Amino acid sequence: MEQDKSLPDFGRIPSLEELNDRSKNTLVSNLGIEYTEVKQGKVIAQMPVDERTKQPMGILHGGASLALAETVAGLGSMCLIDINTQQARGINVSASHVGGVSEGIVTAEATIIHQGETTHIWNVNITNSDGRLISTIRVTNMIISRR
């Protein structure tokens, strides 16, 4: 199989600049999500709490939190597989929203808790700028062959 030149080399985690640049004109950039740390087994990103991410009552929308969690967990899985032959697909997300936030920036930290051949399970904690827990989210990604 010929290697797709648009994909990064397996085993190399792209720079934060590359990752954030690749996210332009996607849901990730539309929500203002920016990666701040990426290494094998851990991804951290930030998202503003503003008109793009708030619900009508003026607090962070749970759906925006889920999008942030899927974003960091998805990238985390992509950094653990050979993306020339495999893909990661989110198959389950379960969230507990335990706090509200109406302004500032939230930070999501994804940590892998199971790295199997066909599934990855991530724990994602979203905190406000004071470090208070806003949501805790479990994301399961399925690892499939690239066609």
Side-chain angles (χ1 to χ4, degrees):
M1 179 169 132
E2 187 175 319
Q3 182 175 348
D4 182 344
K5 300 298 182 197
S6 66
L7 298 174
D9 299 332
F10 175 58
R12 181 183 77 84
I13 296 175
S15 71
L16 293 174
E17 182 179 29
E18 287 176 272
L19 290 168
N20 288 316
D21 190 54
R22 279 191 203 149
S23 297
K24 287 182 179 170
N25 301 313
T26 69
L27 175 79
V28 176
S29 67
N30 287 333
L31 293 178
I33 297 170
E34 290 190 21
Y35 300 109
T36 60
E37 182 179 338
V38 179
K39 59 185 180 182
Q40 288 195 349
K42 181 179 177 181
V43 176
I44 299 175
Q46 295 183 328
M47 181 178 70
V49 179
D50 62 18
E51 69 282 351
R52 298 171 290 179
T53 59
K54 287 182 185 180
Q55 46 113 301
M57 298 302 291
I59 61 172
L60 180 63
H61 194 292
S65 296
L66 292 174
L68 176 57
E70 280 216 61
T71 297
V72 292
L75 175 61
S77 285
M78 295 301 290
C79 291
L80 296 172
I81 62 174
D82 181 347
I83 63 172
N84 293 297
T85 61
Q86 297 174 303
Q87 300 177 54
R89 295 284 186 259
I91 59 171
N92 190 50
V93 180
S94 175
S96 293
H97 305 296
V98 298
V101 60
S102 59
E103 62 184 11
I105 292 176
V106 291
T107 301
E109 182 172 334
T111 306
I112 194 154
I113 58 173
H114 167 75
Q115 184 181 344
E117 289 184 27
T118 58
T119 58
H120 293 171
I121 301 174
W122 293 83
N123 191 66
V124 182
N125 284 329
I126 298 177
T127 56
N128 72 356
S129 56
D130 295 331
R132 183 173 52 90
L133 185 65
I134 302 301
S135 298
T136 186
I137 302 168
R138 184 71 46 96
V139 178
T140 303
N141 292 325
M142 179 174 56
I143 308 306
I144 59 174
S145 294
R146 188 176 284 282
R147 296 179 191 254

